[in-house]
């Protein structure tokens, strides 16, 4: 029964992730809190299980025991959750009653969210019906590697040995191993439904997660608008339909920064939330090499912002908790990188002379600035009367009309998100600058994907900067006052 | 109080327009992909003129082992053939693609293939001088270069 095996292969990590996030997040009662855990749970669970499979493959334990080990792990976690909630007080979701204006906007945004989700699901379905194997990177790299791991599960060094002609050996393994484990459970790698299911769940967990984060922090109207705005950039669900690893990476980056925002805005019992943010950052690094940049960025952003606002003790405490979360994926990544005999092609094909040439070439700087700026102003959105209103521009117009919160730039959550956004863009630009490949080709083929990685971070900043309710603005707490109580216990 | 209410109405109008544009953008994509989907599954496509053997020939075309140019040969050929009706290009490519899993060069010591049947594996071995090293499901095999 391959269908039953696939179902088990999806439900087990989703349960594992749901209960892990439930243990680590602030105990809160309500639908939105449930949605946060649900949307995070799938990604967290599947990421953790890919790590488990990696260590099973390199250990003497037969990988055929995988389903039993997974079920035992999920069962232990469910038991741990029910033990952990005994005697633990919970919090009610702190929603103030929405104003009439917010109620109307929530209604409109709700309709918009449903329509864009349906449209995105249709595009995804049409895309995978036409190209069930995904686009170039999916069948050349990610799923090809997954097949290699499936066929050589008892001889794990073959899929990472260059003599067999695999492409991009150094790419991390979260996605390939997640596909492999579903193929192992269904005992066949001859159909492409498994990668499609994984891509679908990542693609549509992302808007649900953005909605639930914003809804939890700023209310339903802004949450629904954020979900709608996210999917107004078609690259999000197209990358999902192409079965690329960029969408899982975007998922983990968004989860990590969103959790950091929650930890700063809901500081009660936030220590474990920082650990979960760290785990998601680690899983980002275990998904794509760009995730390693993000790992450095989130550590730097949380460290710098906390140090500037609350001193080194608080910064050390937060970074310590992030470090706890990061540990498992990072150790796995290091083990993998040490095991493979290959360097990234951007490093392998480069030289000091070439780097110096690139650094002193003004045309290269101009190409990067023009290429990235052009893409930002043509990213998603819609053309009205010959003018392209890109999705980021529409989101800013939305913020201006809604009304920004007074002193929003002083909010710690926004500062961390903005530093992450700026640092990721700076990091990507630096890679463009130093890359040995033709700069125009590289910008043309990658810039929209790279912008997609940080597009939800931009939306988080925009929606967190919106006033809670324009009509009650005078009664809203002043961020500077909030910062005084934003101390992790 | 007319001023503030007009101001507020104006803001609501802008918010509504933004939400409408988010929706229109997604609907436009859905309609575009609906057309692509219909075009792809239309019965009168040029790509259907490929016989299974021709598709296999395309897939088995030797390619250079260096990264970056692998598969580019047959990619370009299919692209030229199918470009005028892009659907053919995809169809042809994906019929051909599952036949071979690793990048392939006739000098490669090992190659993993996934054919539609065991006969396909035999045919491949005969054509390129390989022998079966290990068999998986019917049509799936790890081949090693025959001495």
């Amino acid at each position: 029964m391959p269908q039953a095996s696939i179902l088990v292969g999806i439900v087990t990590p989703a349960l594992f992730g749901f209960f892990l996030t439930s243990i680590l997040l602030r105990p809160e009662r309500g639908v939105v809190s449930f949605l946060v855990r649900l949307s995070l749970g799938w990604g967290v669970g599947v990421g953790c299980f890919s790590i488990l499979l990696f260590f099973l493959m390199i250990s003497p334990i037969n990988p055929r025991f995988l389903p039993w080990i997974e079920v035992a792990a999920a069962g232990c976690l469910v038991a741990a959750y029910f033990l952990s909630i005994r005697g633990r007080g919970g919090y009610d979701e702190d929603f103030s009653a929405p104003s009439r204006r917010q109620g109307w906007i929530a209604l409109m945004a709700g309709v918009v969210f449903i329509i864009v989700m349906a449209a995105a699901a249709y595009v995804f379905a049409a895309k995978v019906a036409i190209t069930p194997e995904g686009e170039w990177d999916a069948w050349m790299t990610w799923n090809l590697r997954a097949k290699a791991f499936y066929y050589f599960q008892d001889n794990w060094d073959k899929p990472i040995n260059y003599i067999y002609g695999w492409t991009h050996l150094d790419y991390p393994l979260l996605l390939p191993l997640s596909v492999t484990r579903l193929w192992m459970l269904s005992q066949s790698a001859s159909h492409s439904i498994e990668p499609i299911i994984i891509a679908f769940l990542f693609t549509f967990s992302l808007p649900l997660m953005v909605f639930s984060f914003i809804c939890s922090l700023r209310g339903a109207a802004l949450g629904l608008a954020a979900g709608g705005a996210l999917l107004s950039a078609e690259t999000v669900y197209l990358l999902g339909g192409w079965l690329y690893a960029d969408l899982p990476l975007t998922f983990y980056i968004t989860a990590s920064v969103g959790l950091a925002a929650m930890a700063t805005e809901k500081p009660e019992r936030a220590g474990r939330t920082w650990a979960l943010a760290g785990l998601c950052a680690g899983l980002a690094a275990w998904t794509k090499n760009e995730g390693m940049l993000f790992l450095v960025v989130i550590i730097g952003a949380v460290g710098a912002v906390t140090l500037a606002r609350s001193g080194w003790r608080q910064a050390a405490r937060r970074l310590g908790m992030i470090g706890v979360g990061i540990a498992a994926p990072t150790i796995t990544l290091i083990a993998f990188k040490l095991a493979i005999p290959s360097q990234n092609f951007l490093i392998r094909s480069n030289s000091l002379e070439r780097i110096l040439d690139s650094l002193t070439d003004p045309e290269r700087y101009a190409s990067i600035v023009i290429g990235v700026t052009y893409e930002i102003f043509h990213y998603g959105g819609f053309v009205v009367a010959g003018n392209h209103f890109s999705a980021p521009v529409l989101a800013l117009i939305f913020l201006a009309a809604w009304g920004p919160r007074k002193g929003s730039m002083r909010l710690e959550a926004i500062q961390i998100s903005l530093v992450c956004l700026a640092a990721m863009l700076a990091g990507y630009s630096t890679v463009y600058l130093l890359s040995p490949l033709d700069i125009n080709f590289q910008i043309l083929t990658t810039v929209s994907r790279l912008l997609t990685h940080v597009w939800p971070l931009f939306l988080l900043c925009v929606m967190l900067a919106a006033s809670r309710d324009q009509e009650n603005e005078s009664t809203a707490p002043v961020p500077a006052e909030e910062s005084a109580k934003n101390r992790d216990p | 109080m007319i001023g503030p209410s007009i101001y507020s109405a104006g803001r609501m109008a802008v918010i509504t327009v933004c939400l409408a544009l988010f929706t229109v953008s997604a609907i436009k994509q859905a309609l575009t992909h609906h057309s692509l989907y219909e075009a792809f599954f239309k019965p009168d496509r040029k790509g259907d003129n490929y016989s299974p053997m021709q598709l296999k020939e395309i897939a088995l075309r030797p390619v250079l082992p260096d990264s970056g140019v692998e598969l580019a040969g047959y990619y370009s050929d299919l692209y030229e053939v199918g470009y005028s009706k892009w659907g053919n290009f995809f169809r042809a490519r994906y019929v051909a693609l599952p036949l071979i899993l690793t990048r392939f060069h006739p000098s490669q010591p090992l190659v993993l293939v996934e054919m539609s049947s065991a006969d396909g594996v035999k045919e491949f071995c005969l054509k390129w001088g390989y022998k079966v090293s290990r068999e998986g499901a019917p049509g799936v095999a790890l081949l090693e270069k025959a001495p």
Side-chain angles (χ1 to χ4, degrees):
Chain A
M1 285 282 285
Q3 291 92 339
S5 309
I6 293 171
L7 192 66
V8 170
I10 293 162
V11 170
T12 322
L15 273 179
F16 180 90
F18 178 83
F19 284 103
L20 182 63
T21 52
S22 297
I23 290 169
L24 294 178
L25 279 179
R26 180 180 186 255
E28 218 168 19
R29 291 179 285 264
V31 178
V32 176
S33 169
F34 175 79
L35 283 179
V36 169
R37 288 147 219 256
L38 187 72
S39 56
L40 272 169
W42 156 255
V44 170
V46 86
C48 291
F49 278 17
S50 73
I51 291 173
L52 181 67
L53 179 56
F54 177 77
F55 283 109
L56 269 184
M57 280 188 160
I58 61 173
S59 74
I61 301 169
N62 191 329
R64 287 179 184 84
F65 291 119
L66 178 72
W68 305 110
I69 295 170
E70 285 185 354
V71 168
C76 288
L77 210 64
V78 174
Y81 170 74
F82 284 108
L83 283 175
S84 76
I85 58 168
R86 282 170 68 187
R88 187 167 84 155
Y91 297 84
D92 288 323
E93 283 172 347
D94 49 350
F95 287 129
S96 50
S99 67
R100 213 170 127 203
R101 185 186 85 132
Q102 270 207 356
W104 271 109
I105 295 173
L107 186 67
M108 284 192 295
V111 173
V112 166
F113 188 53
I114 290 169
I115 294 173
V116 295
M117 281 284 266
Y122 182 79
V123 172
F124 183 94
K127 198 78 207 154
V128 297
I130 295 169
T131 53
E133 308 277 349
E135 286 293 332
W136 184 275
D137 283 13
W139 54 263
M140 261 315 273
T141 305
W142 305 111
N143 294 338
L144 184 62
R145 184 70 61 83
K147 288 211 174 188
F149 276 110
Y150 174 79
Y151 288 125
F152 301 117
Q153 43 189 280
D154 52 346
N155 199 349
W156 72 279
D157 63 327
K158 276 200 170 68
I160 58 169
N161 196 325
Y162 69 95
I163 69 158
Y164 303 113
W166 314 116
T167 53
H168 299 303
L169 273 179
D170 66 302
Y171 283 12
L173 297 177
L174 185 144
L175 185 59
L177 286 180
S178 302
V179 175
T180 301
R181 61 172 280 281
L182 281 192
W183 277 334
M184 284 168 72
L185 290 173
S186 61
Q187 297 184 334
S188 167
S190 59
H191 33 85
S192 52
I193 189 69
E194 289 87 349
I196 292 172
I197 290 173
I198 289 174
F200 180 86
L201 288 169
F202 271 116
T203 305
F204 292 96
S205 295
L206 180 64
L208 195 65
M209 184 169 66
V210 169
F211 157 71
S212 53
F213 275 147
I214 300 294
C215 189
S216 169
L217 298 172
R218 292 292 182 272
L222 286 170
L224 291 163
L230 179 80
L231 293 177
S232 71
E234 69 278 5
T235 320
V236 173
Y237 44 88
L238 285 178
L239 283 173
W242 294 354
L243 313 185
Y244 278 19
D246 294 84
L247 238 282
L249 174 68
T250 308
F251 176 92
Y252 291 119
I253 289 176
T254 310
S256 186
V257 177
L259 286 164
M262 283 186 89
T264 58
E265 298 235 338
K266 297 184 175 184
E268 306 88 1
R269 304 192 190 179
R272 296 178 190 180
T273 309
W274 286 111
L276 188 56
L279 175 63
C280 290
L283 292 175
W286 180 230
T287 307
K288 278 199 93 183
N289 285 337
E290 289 93 324
M292 288 194 279
L293 170 67
F294 175 72
L295 197 65
V296 176
V297 162
I298 187 83
I299 291 170
V302 172
V305 171
T306 313
L307 191 68
R309 294 174 62 104
S310 314
W312 68 270
R313 278 178 194 277
Q314 178 81 319
R317 204 174 298 139
R318 285 182 176 175
L319 290 180
M321 290 310 289
I322 288 179
V324 169
I326 283 175
T330 308
I331 289 167
T332 313
L333 186 67
I334 292 169
F336 166 66
K337 293 279 180 184
L338 289 175
I340 51 163
S342 167
Q343 274 184 330
N344 184 278
F345 71 101
L346 292 175
I347 299 169
R348 195 179 56 231
S349 326
N350 225 332
S351 64
L352 189 62
E353 196 181 2
R354 198 192 281 258
I355 290 172
L356 286 174
D357 281 349
S358 301
L359 286 172
T360 51
D361 180 3
E363 275 184 30
R364 211 170 167 86
Y365 288 93
S367 298
I368 295 166
V369 171
I370 292 168
V372 174
T373 312
Y374 179 88
E375 185 59 31
I376 289 171
F377 285 99
H378 290 80
Y379 183 78
F382 197 67
V383 180
V384 182
N387 299 306
H388 197 125
F389 287 87
S390 72
V393 170
L394 280 177
L396 286 176
I397 294 173
F398 179 90
L399 173 65
W402 178 280
R405 190 181 171 127
K406 285 173 190 159
S408 54
M409 293 305 286
R410 277 180 283 152
L411 279 176
E412 198 171 14
I414 293 184
Q415 289 175 345
I416 290 174
S417 307
L418 267 181
V419 171
C420 285
L421 177 65
M424 287 298 285
L425 286 176
Y428 286 155
S429 301
T430 308
V431 174
Y432 277 142
L433 186 64
L434 303 180
S435 164
L437 302 177
D438 174 61
I439 185 67
N440 293 319
F441 166 78
Q442 202 164 18
I443 286 179
L444 198 68
T445 52
T446 59
V447 72
S448 67
R449 279 196 275 157
L450 299 187
L451 285 185
T452 302
H453 300 164
V454 294
W455 164 230
L457 303 193
F458 179 78
L459 276 177
L460 279 177
C461 293
V462 166
M463 296 303 172
L464 290 175
S467 64
R468 279 201 174 130
D469 189 334
Q470 188 62 26
E471 289 161 21
N472 296 330
E473 181 64 24
S474 58
T475 61
V478 179
E481 291 169 9
E482 279 181 5
S483 68
K485 61 182 183 182
N486 279 4
R487 296 270 190 270
D488 296 345
Chain B
M1 298 301 286
I2 290 173
S5 67
I6 290 175
Y7 179 61
S8 178
R11 286 155 69 119
M12 274 298 278
V14 174
I15 287 172
T16 310
V17 169
C18 285
L19 290 173
L21 287 179
F22 293 155
T23 320
V24 171
S25 163
I27 290 175
K28 188 178 157 235
Q29 283 298 322
L31 291 175
T32 306
H33 279 80
H34 180 68
S35 320
L36 298 179
Y37 177 84
E38 279 200 331
F40 181 76
F41 286 104
K42 256 188 210 166
D44 61 338
R45 284 161 302 117
K46 200 172 153 193
D48 285 348
N49 298 333
Y50 276 122
S51 69
M53 201 56 223
Q54 279 175 310
L55 288 172
K56 206 176 284 185
E57 281 296 328
I58 292 165
L60 300 188
R61 196 180 296 272
V63 290
L64 296 173
D66 303 326
S67 63
V69 291
E70 69 275 8
L71 300 173
Y74 83 73
Y75 184 86
S76 306
D77 287 353
L78 286 181
Y79 192 74
E80 281 164 21
V81 173
Y83 184 71
S84 57
K85 295 183 83 177
W86 55 269
N88 304 336
F89 155 59
F90 284 114
R91 181 61 169 264
R93 187 169 121 202
Y94 284 101
V95 170
L97 185 70
L99 297 178
I100 197 161
L101 287 176
T102 44
R103 285 182 299 160
F104 173 63
H105 187 273
S107 66
Q108 211 164 293
L110 282 166
V111 60
L112 181 64
V113 293
E114 190 182 70
M115 305 287 193
S116 50
S117 70
D119 289 344
V121 178
K122 272 187 208 160
E123 203 180 310
F124 184 97
C125 290
L126 277 175
K127 185 171 175 75
W128 297 107
Y130 282 84
K131 63 174 187 173
V132 175
S133 165
R134 193 194 311 176
E135 274 184 305
V140 178
L142 179 68
L143 311 178
E144 61 181 288
K145 198 75 189 164

